[in-house]
Amino acid sequence: MSSSILYIEDDHEIGGWVSEFLKDKGYEVRWQLSGERAVEEAAACAVVILDVMLPGLDGFTIGQRIKKAYPGLPILMLSARTAIDDKLQGLEFADDYLTKPFHPDELAARLEVLLRRSVVKSAEPLRVKHLSVYEAENRIVNEDTGEETLLTGKQYQIFMYLLQHQGRVMTKEQIYESVWGESYIEGDKTLMVHIRYLREKLERDPATPEIIETVRGLGYRVRA
Amino acid sequence: MRWRRNRGRFRKSLTNRYLLLISLAMIFMPIMFPLASILYWFVNDTFSEKPAVPVEKYTSGTVLEKMWHEEAATLSGASPEAIERRLHSIQLEYPEISMFWVDGSNETRLQMPVQPSLPEVWSAPYTVQFMKNAVDGDPFTSVAFIGGEVSGEGFMVMQIPRKYISVQQPIASETAMYGLFITLMSVLFIVVSWLFFVRIRKRLLRLRSAMTSPHTVTGLPQPVALTKLDEIGQLEEGYNHMVIQLEEGQRRQREEEELRKSLIANLSHDLRTPLTVIRSHIFSMEREPLSEKGKESLSLIESKIADLGGLIDNMLSYNLLASGKVKLNMEPTDVLRTVKESAAAWYPVWEKAGIEPDIQVRDEPLNWNVDVLWFRRLLDNLFQNVVRHAKSGQYIGIHTEEREGLEGMLVISDRGPGIEGGSQNKGTGIGLAIVDHLTREMGLGCHVESSDEGTRISIWRR
């Protein structure tokens, strides 16, 4: 997958190293030392990696500008400040957040998730176990049988929500509120019922689910 | 109890106290007015020879009588012609007075005007009768012996209808007028003083409302427009001065806060950037052919760098928090929801570290008044501690417990070696200090129990 990444970092050593690393991974990296031309450059990119501490315009301002110009473009913030300080500034616009010093593998993993969210409408199917998910066409094919798996609107939305946050545990509240658009009432059995039907359609063996994993006490997860 | 409260309220209201004052004034007025009159007459009779202000020549009977007696005294030894000349000249001055005189042989002499009822010669019984009639009668009568009582030169009499000197006894004759006048004056007094008071009260209330309704953004009271330069005006001026000082103080505080924040941000940046660079080189070295021992060293260096990063964060965060410059935005929040979301985010980390989460929280929400961001930070610190220091226990428990007198208690436990248990990674102190500080700031109670079998942290709302 060749995707263009806009990377804004003022430190030469770190910038050089991260660019090299990402290029090795097969990404096309546009490394900028400052955020002056960030908004123009962002047009051609699939994801933005932004350092918080920059000369001139700071990362927060640039991030907010990019988000305003391209609301769908995911932004990953790299920060060398204290978590508290960044929280005070507000990171509502950022899609993900990584504190320095970070492990390059973690950066790669986060980028993967963000890119999937952004470039998800490509024709390329996403493989999850025995399923191929064609998101652009809203189509799920069971590769075991070669047949299409038909889901109801809500079932499809739940599955897509988990898939977009693949690898992350989503709480029942988060899933319910995202899919139904109303606040979750504790003890509500609706979500459980929907998950049960969803598993019956997706899983090879609904009694021992492999795709949608239950995280006891919290919610559900589709493993990466 | 109620009486005392009412009394307290009564004493607190200027209006009520003022009304009490007015009422008292009204009760004492009927006593005060006659008292004042008596005092006035007493002073007048005792200390002044002449009436203070003789507006009319007839106003005072006393004055007329005095004049009459003085005239009689000066006529001592005068001839009848001289007496009559004098009487004529008095008549010119006081035309309303009728007068006559009786000589030493009791014969009626000059009459002005002539009164047919008077006898030619005054007998003793008639004289007595005349004197008796004259006392308090109308006309007002004054009899004066010419040249004194024992001279035998006769006496002279003046008479004037009472209507000319009626002012002398106003209470007796015009009580209604007097009462009306007093009532009118009282009403006027009440109205004027009430208006006066109402205006003072209005100005004071305006000042009070300016003090108690702070600006929505700055949270400071607003200055008021000056009204007059009296005492309240001075109060307003002083108040405005105080507001300006407050604004100045707040501005300075904001500046300090900004300075501190940017200092800490810069420090954090300067400390972390080299760490990131070191880490990048470790990553490069990992790809080089290395011996087992070399690889082991590298992974140790890497974990130490991660610890150092966390420590820097905690240290600077604590500095920022302890400075008291950080404002918490407290709002009612279902903390269990926050706990679950935070735990969900940590889940992969725990899995990777071989820690098994056991999460059982109650279904009903636990609504506490907290700052969500800071509460997350608190949880992050607790969860981080488990990963760093209690990995060996391979367990993290997140539970709610019901305790009497509490809405619910959040318990986070692990099976690590305990805080004193000599975890290889030191540095729990600052993390727990942040937890301690945050719980206190958010009005939460926090209790830490630690033994060599694990650590148990309970959090509840105070």
Side-chain angles (χ1 to χ4, degrees):
Chain A
M1 199 198 297
S2 172
S3 304
S4 189
I5 297 170
L6 175 62
Y7 176 40
I8 304 171
E9 167 70 76
D10 65 318
D11 190 286
H12 287 266
E13 252 179 302
I14 300 172
W17 162 63
V18 171
S19 314
E20 277 310 306
F21 170 76
L22 292 176
K23 275 175 188 161
D24 283 353
K25 287 261 169 185
Y27 298 106
E28 188 194 317
V29 182
R30 297 177 184 214
W31 171 28
Q32 301 262 317
L33 283 167
S34 80
E36 307 298 319
R37 297 184 54 246
V39 178
E40 297 96 90
E41 289 280 334
C45 296
V47 67
V48 180
I49 304 173
L50 193 56
D51 187 43
V52 174
M53 214 63 168
L54 289 169
L57 288 174
D58 69 290
F60 294 105
T61 317
I62 296 165
Q64 275 154 357
R65 282 191 189 172
I66 293 174
K67 207 68 191 179
K68 208 175 164 192
Y70 311 102
L73 185 61
I75 298 175
L76 174 77
M77 293 296 284
L78 286 183
S79 171
R81 317 222 298 199
T82 72
I84 280 182
D85 200 30
D86 287 332
K87 275 175 180 170
L88 291 179
Q89 291 263 5
L91 274 168
E92 294 82 18
F93 65 87
D95 297 84
D96 208 348
Y97 183 92
L98 211 53
T99 314
K100 288 178 179 177
F102 52 87
H103 195 281
D105 285 340
E106 193 171 1
L107 177 65
R110 303 264 183 119
L111 273 180
E112 196 73 31
V113 173
L114 288 180
L115 277 169
R116 185 175 305 143
R117 249 194 271 175
S118 148
V119 203
V120 86
K121 301 284 180 194
S122 70
E124 233 177 294
L126 178 69
R127 275 303 294 260
V128 187
K129 304 281 176 195
H130 61 284
L131 301 175
S132 286
V133 183
Y134 296 86
E135 252 201 289
E137 303 156 49
N138 292 353
R139 205 157 60 88
I140 300 164
V141 174
N142 185 337
E143 298 293 345
D144 287 353
T145 59
E147 283 172 15
E148 195 180 332
T149 305
L150 293 173
L151 299 178
T152 66
K154 285 278 182 280
Q155 287 166 359
Y156 185 76
Q157 275 175 280
I158 294 169
F159 188 44
M160 280 305 132
Y161 183 75
L162 291 173
L163 220 47
Q164 271 166 13
H165 301 96
Q166 201 175 352
R168 283 168 67 186
V169 178
M170 304 314 287
T171 66
K172 288 182 214 163
E173 289 91 337
Q174 286 171 324
I175 300 169
Y176 187 89
E177 279 167 18
S178 160
V179 172
W180 273 268
E182 45 193 81
S183 64
Y184 179 82
I185 303 146
E186 201 61 57
D188 196 299
K189 296 279 177 279
T190 318
L191 184 63
M192 272 176 64
V193 173
H194 274 81
I195 295 275
R196 202 171 74 219
Y197 288 134
L198 189 55
R199 277 177 175 156
E200 278 170 14
K201 287 182 180 172
L202 296 179
E203 304 282 356
R204 280 191 179 116
D205 175 13
T208 53
E210 292 181 312
I211 296 171
I212 299 174
E213 180 194 354
T214 300
V215 180
R216 211 156 56 86
L218 290 178
Y220 302 94
R221 163 171 72 172
V222 173
R223 269 189 196 271
Chain B
M1 199 63 193
R2 157 177 280 195
W3 179 81
R4 282 184 67 154
R5 204 175 55 231
N6 284 346
R7 184 161 159 264
R9 224 162 53 202
F10 181 81
R11 287 175 69 91
K12 271 178 203 151
S13 165
L14 268 175
T15 313
N16 290 345
R17 290 170 70 176
Y18 176 72
L19 281 177
L20 176 76
L21 215 71
I22 294 272
S23 317
L24 282 177
M26 293 314 293
I27 292 165
F28 279 108
M29 203 120 66
I31 303 165
M32 286 307 288
F33 269 71
L35 267 178
S37 302
I38 290 164
L39 194 72
Y40 172 77
W41 287 117
F42 177 73
V43 169
N44 210 24
D45 285 350
T46 319
F47 297 104
S48 65
E49 286 298 302
K50 294 202 157 134
V53 190
V55 184
E56 295 263 345
K57 46 195 177 188
Y58 304 124
T59 45
S60 167
T62 325
V63 177
L64 280 177
E65 204 165 2
K66 205 169 169 188
M67 176 274 291
W68 196 244
H69 282 273
E70 275 167 9
E71 291 294 342
T74 53
L75 289 173
S76 169
S79 65
E81 289 73 27
I83 290 172
E84 275 165 27
R85 254 198 325 275
R86 184 68 202 136
L87 284 182
H88 275 294
S89 66
I90 294 173
Q91 171 73 37
L92 281 177
E93 206 181 328
Y94 299 92
E96 281 82 10
I97 294 179
S98 54
M99 47 189 84
F100 60 88
W101 75 286
V102 178
D103 64 15
S105 51
N106 295 338
E107 274 175 50
T108 304
R109 301 295 286 256
L110 178 66
Q111 295 184 44
M112 288 181 300
V114 176
Q115 295 180 46
S117 59
L118 293 180
E120 293 263 316
V121 177
W122 288 60
S123 60
Y126 180 80
T127 309
V128 171
Q129 187 61 44
F130 179 83
M131 291 308 290
K132 268 181 99 171
N133 289 345
V135 174
D136 283 340
D138 193 6
F140 172 79
T141 305
S142 180
V143 178
F145 291 99
I146 295 165
E149 282 174 34
V150 290
S151 65
E153 288 177 74
F155 58 92
M156 54 194 237
V157 177
M158 58 156 270
Q159 286 179 311
I160 183 167
R162 286 253 182 219
K163 63 178 178 184
Y164 290 110
I165 51 173
S166 59
V167 186
Q168 199 186 349
Q169 288 163 321
I171 295 168
S173 56
E174 290 177 39
T175 315
M177 276 288 282
Y178 188 71
L180 190 70
F181 177 74
I182 289 180
T183 314
L184 272 176
M185 288 311 287
S186 309
V187 169
L188 193 70
F189 166 70
I190 290 171
V191 168
V192 165
S193 53
W194 174 253
L195 281 178
F196 172 77
F197 176 75
V198 160
R199 286 183 59 196
I200 289 181
R201 185 172 174 271
K202 212 165 127 189
R203 291 168 69 197
L204 287 175
L205 283 181
R206 193 177 69 105
L207 199 58
R208 190 195 80 117
S209 80
M211 286 178 188
T212 53
S213 49
H215 193 269
T216 43
V217 182
T218 61
L220 289 179
Q222 293 295 287
V224 293
L226 295 182
T227 44
K228 288 177 199 162
L229 279 175
D230 54 12
E231 291 88 337
I232 294 180
Q234 286 165 15
L235 187 65
E236 286 166 347
E237 209 178 348
Y239 163 75
N240 282 353
H241 186 66
M242 197 185 73
V243 169
I244 290 166
Q245 279 185 329
L246 266 178
E247 276 166 0
E248 175 69 17
Q250 205 187 42
R251 192 183 56 77
R252 258 205 308 273
Q253 200 180 349
R254 256 201 310 274
E255 278 172 7
E256 268 170 35
E257 194 178 328
E258 283 307 310
L259 191 71
R260 193 171 190 123
K261 271 188 197 164
S262 82
L263 257 176
I264 286 177
N266 286 329
L267 192 58
S268 174
H269 182 261
D270 294 349
L271 286 169
R272 269 171 215 266
T273 304
L275 283 185
T276 317
V277 175
I278 294 171
R279 188 153 201 178
S280 75
H281 287 292
I282 296 168
F283 186 71
S284 305
M285 279 178 76
E286 275 172 348
R287 297 173 166 192
E288 303 291 321
L290 283 175
S291 66
E292 271 311 303
K293 200 161 180 215
K295 278 182 189 164
E296 214 174 279
S297 289
L298 271 188
S299 95
L300 194 69
I301 294 172
E302 204 175 331
S303 83
K304 290 297 164 193
I305 285 175
D307 285 353
L308 200 52
L311 201 60
I312 290 170
D313 190 41
N314 271 344
M315 194 180 72
L316 298 178
S317 296
Y318 186 72
N319 185 299
L320 203 61
L321 275 177
S323 73
K325 300 278 188 251
V326 178
K327 234 173 98 185
L328 298 183
N329 289 317
M330 308 285 269
E331 49 192 344
T333 312
D334 176 12
V335 291
L336 290 185
R337 191 190 167 116
T338 313
V339 168
K340 279 191 261 181
E341 278 170 22
S342 184
W346 277 91
Y347 203 85
V349 180
W350 292 330
E351 267 182 330
K352 213 172 148 191
I355 294 170
E356 196 186 316
D358 173 25
I359 301 163
Q360 285 172 47
V361 296
R362 65 180 200 178
D363 283 344
E364 304 83 52
L366 201 54
N367 281 313
W368 289 351
N369 213 29
V370 296
D371 179 310
V372 183
L373 286 178
W374 290 106
F375 192 73
R376 273 179 194 279
R377 169 76 200 188
L378 190 155
L379 292 171
D380 282 349
N381 267 28
L382 292 177
F383 295 159
Q384 176 96 64
N385 273 347
V386 174
V387 176
R388 271 199 209 144
H389 310 292
K391 210 192 272 187
S392 58
Q394 297 184 326
Y395 170 88
I396 179 167
I398 301 173
H399 300 267
T400 46
E401 287 179 12
E402 304 301 322
R403 290 280 170 86
E404 206 170 315
L406 295 175
E407 299 146 276
M409 187 190 252
L410 182 66
V411 180
I412 294 165
S413 51
D414 65 54
R415 290 174 189 161
I419 292 171
E420 305 295 326
S423 152
Q424 278 200 325
N425 306 302
K426 295 282 181 194
T428 332
I430 190 100
L432 276 180
I434 289 180
V435 170
D436 195 50
H437 185 90
L438 282 177
T439 46
R440 211 166 347 104
E441 288 290 302
M442 291 192 282
L444 302 176
C446 176
H447 181 65
V448 181
E449 289 164 80
S450 187
S451 69
D452 54 3
E453 285 178 2
T455 304
R456 197 184 127 96
I457 295 166
S458 325
I459 297 171
W460 65 94
R461 184 164 83 170
R462 258 206 287 264

